[in-house]
Amino acid sequence: MTNRFQVRDRFAGGAQFIGGRLRPGTSGRTHAVVNPATGEEIYTYELAGAADVDAAVAAALAAFPGWAGATPGARSDALHRFAEVLAEQAADFAHAETLQCGKPIRLSTEFDVPGTVDNTVFFAGAARRLEGVSAGEYSGDHTSYVRREPIGVIGSIAPWNYPLQMAAWKILPAVAAGNTIVLKPAEITPFTSLMFAQAAQRAGLPDGVINVVTGAGPDAGEHLVGHRDVVMTSFTGSTAVGRRVAEIATATVKRLHLELGGKAPFLVFDDADLEAAVHGAVAGSLINAGQDCTAATRAYVQRPLYDAFVAGVAALMETVSMGDPLDPDTDLGPLISHSHRDRVAGYVDRARDHARVVTGGEAPGGELKEGAYYRPTLIVDAAQNSEIVQSEIFGPVLVVLPFDTDDEGIRLANDTPYGLAASAWSRDVYRTGRATREIKAGCVWVNDHIPIISEMPHGGYKASGFGKDMSVYSFEEYTQVKHVMYDNTAVARKDWHRTIFGDRC
């Protein structure tokens, strides 16, 4: 997928993958995918509407009995083959992800694609581990055991910042547990979600197990969440949209998983390794151009290290190379779109009234002026209650604030509506231990920020949502727990019957 014509050839059948084949949408509206590095329109397609969602759900519903009835071993084997196909196509996936998102090819090649392959291998193994409570005679007269069963058709919505990984996080635990799924990716980044579904088909997963509808949220997304045959919704995106998803899902009594916004604190104590903290802050705030809900966005630095930390971060940010995301030497690519770039710039410009921009704070010119680029930005002297500190910016912007006591640092770290991720930096195991206990976030890193692994869960507290992606914890969310209880006595008249019949029988 090196140019617009190959993109068009690859998806000539349309951007809806329903029942095992590509097809055009039927909403009557089109959408143009834009390369954010150049502003070039690279693919125009027909958006999905309600009829396409209905068709995808029907395909998933038809495939459900066969897939749910397959043995765990059969599902595991299919997912292992799926991982092999993904690995064979790694270069194409990386190229497509960079083309539609603008993320540097190093990130796509070294993080997004191998992470997705590893996640697929993990859930191939997890498919064989549908475990419950051991059988036992808990009442004395009965044997009880727990079954974990697939729950049905899942309707999931994934965001634009990590289209491939988010597709995997939604699809893999669902299908490993025996469910079928309809995924709605962001309409601005459809390529790798569609390729993921096609790779699954190539690996031998039955038609209808994985379906992809590419449409707008108010049309395709809301219809999918509210569909009567969809039994669970998993959504990743902003907290505001998550509230709307919850309203629709609640009205139809669906199981719900929400992974929402974040405003991750980066807490640096005065005994931290300064060099490690500086490098961690720059990497953690700039990954994916800061378009990461776990990105380091608020650095709280204990006063003895504050000035040196600010100077170190500014100096390192100024070395970051911006350029063509397909160039392996590029460190930072564009934001997802010009409108999003302008939104990020708006936050920074409003902060100038009460804070100081140390470096960055502008879009580059020259060869990059046509793209949605924004320079790495460091802000200081902001108030804790200011917009730049409290709101999710979703761009390459780091705000640094000082603190004096450990109590104050932890209090400030918790002082936003969000609770998705955080990090604590110190050589003192007791200090970091306290931070991991008291910071209200679903993930707390110690002396690092950002790494994720398939074996561990991802999900938040507070306004960051609930439920987990990855790990066996996410796998369990896609199963129905059933208690089965056998009478062991063969006695027709049970003692408890007296509560109904007395001694008459």
Side-chain angles (χ1 to χ4, degrees):
M1 298 183 67
T2 56
N3 59 53
R4 61 191 299 174
F5 301 105
Q6 288 176 309
V7 171
R8 291 175 175 179
D9 291 345
R10 181 69 180 259
F11 303 113
Q16 320 303 325
F17 188 80
I18 299 172
R21 68 180 183 90
L22 288 173
R23 53 189 263 185
T26 61
S27 70
R29 296 188 297 121
T30 60
H31 180 81
V33 179
V34 175
N35 181 342
T38 63
E40 178 192 16
E41 294 185 2
I42 53 177
Y43 177 64
T44 300
Y45 67 95
E46 297 84 3
L47 288 163
D52 304 298
V53 172
D54 290 342
V57 172
L61 194 63
F64 176 70
W67 185 247
T71 66
R75 291 198 294 267
S76 176
D77 289 346
L79 290 174
H80 276 298
R81 292 193 299 272
F82 188 11
E84 292 171 358
V85 173
L86 292 172
E88 291 168 0
Q89 299 179 358
D92 284 347
F93 273 100
H95 200 144
E97 194 79 334
T98 288
L99 194 63
Q100 66 183 351
C101 298
K103 63 180 63 187
I105 193 67
R106 287 206 316 265
L107 183 64
S108 297
T109 301
E110 298 177 20
F111 181 68
D112 295 74
V113 175
T116 300
V117 173
D118 183 73
N119 214 232
T120 307
V121 173
F122 173 82
F123 280 107
R128 291 179 176 267
R129 296 188 59 200
L130 282 169
E131 297 177 347
V133 177
S134 300
E137 287 67 50
Y138 298 100
S139 78
D141 291 338
H142 305 81
T143 295
S144 290
Y145 68 88
V146 169
R147 289 176 55 86
R148 283 195 175 273
E149 299 176 346
I151 57 178
V153 176
I154 313 299
S156 293
I157 300 176
W160 50 257
N161 58 332
Y162 289 102
L164 177 59
Q165 291 208 76
M166 294 298 100
W169 288 13
K170 301 301 182 195
I171 290 171
L172 293 170
V175 301
N179 303 286
T180 55
I181 189 167
V182 178
L183 175 75
K184 192 202 87 66
E187 63 270 28
I188 60 177
T189 54
F191 299 156
T192 49
S193 298
L194 292 165
M195 291 168 64
F196 192 76
Q198 290 175 307
Q201 182 189 46
R202 179 179 168 190
L205 274 74
D207 293 348
V209 171
I210 299 173
N211 306 274
V212 177
V213 289
T214 311
D219 302 323
E222 293 199 4
H223 190 62
L224 177 62
V225 174
H227 201 288
R228 64 182 182 182
D229 290 326
V230 169
V231 296
M232 176 180 170
T233 290
S234 177
F235 169 80
T236 296
S238 71
T239 298
V241 177
R243 292 191 185 100
R244 175 61 179 158
V245 169
E247 290 174 2
I248 299 170
T250 300
T252 49
V253 197
K254 286 178 171 48
R255 188 178 296 193
L256 185 61
H257 167 215
L258 298 174
E259 199 269 273
L260 306 176
K263 189 71 177 176
F266 188 98
L267 187 60
V268 183
F269 294 102
D270 57 14
D271 66 336
D273 181 325
L274 179 62
E275 181 183 12
V278 165
H279 281 79
V282 174
S285 62
L286 300 185
I287 186 171
N288 204 34
Q291 299 167 131
D292 187 311
C293 48
T294 64
T297 58
R298 302 177 288 140
Y300 296 101
V301 184
Q302 208 152 21
R303 210 169 291 274
L305 293 185
Y306 178 79
D307 289 339
F309 180 87
V310 169
V313 168
L316 189 55
M317 277 187 170
E318 290 169 3
T319 70
V320 171
S321 169
M322 303 178 71
D324 179 359
L326 288 172
D327 184 342
D329 292 330
T330 293
D331 299 323
L332 188 70
L335 295 171
I336 188 64
S337 67
H338 288 80
S339 62
H340 185 62
R341 190 267 312 276
D342 294 343
R343 176 181 176 274
V344 170
Y347 277 110
V348 175
D349 291 342
R350 290 189 296 273
R352 296 179 195 274
D353 292 338
H354 60 270
R356 178 168 62 94
V357 176
V358 179
T359 188
E362 62 182 2
E367 295 180 354
L368 302 181
K369 66 180 181 179
E370 301 301 325
Y373 291 89
Y374 197 75
R375 294 191 185 282
T377 300
L378 176 63
I379 295 176
V380 298
D381 300 335
Q384 173 66 16
N385 64 355
S386 62
E387 177 189 55
I388 202 76
V389 174
Q390 293 291 323
S391 298
E392 185 175 33
I393 299 168
F394 229 55
V397 179
L398 176 66
V399 183
V400 184
L401 300 90
F403 71 92
D404 291 303
T405 67
D406 290 16
D407 288 348
E408 181 189 15
I410 292 174
R411 177 180 62 79
L412 292 171
N414 284 327
D415 184 28
T416 70
Y418 300 105
L420 185 58
S423 63
W425 298 73
S426 171
R427 292 183 173 94
D428 186 331
V429 66
Y430 296 103
R431 260 180 160 173
T432 57
R434 179 190 176 190
T436 62
R437 291 191 301 273
E438 296 186 12
I439 292 176
K440 304 304 180 186
C443 174
V444 181
W445 292 284
V446 176
N447 295 323
D448 207 346
H449 196 107
I450 286 298
I452 55 175
I453 50 175
S454 297
E455 291 83 359
M456 289 291 112
H458 175 85
Y461 287 26
K462 302 189 293 186
S464 292
F466 50 82
K468 300 299 179 185
D469 287 313
M470 301 195 298
S471 81
V472 294
Y473 296 99
S474 98
F475 186 50
E476 291 172 355
E477 295 199 25
Y478 292 91
T479 63
Q480 186 69 266
V481 175
K482 177 186 288 185
H483 171 213
V484 178
M485 196 173 196
Y486 281 90
D487 170 61
N488 292 331
T489 66
V491 174
R493 299 178 182 180
K494 307 292 195 295
D495 286 344
W496 72 268
H497 292 179
R498 295 184 63 258
T499 62
I500 308 302
F501 306 123
D503 293 326
R504 295 192 303 276
C505 300

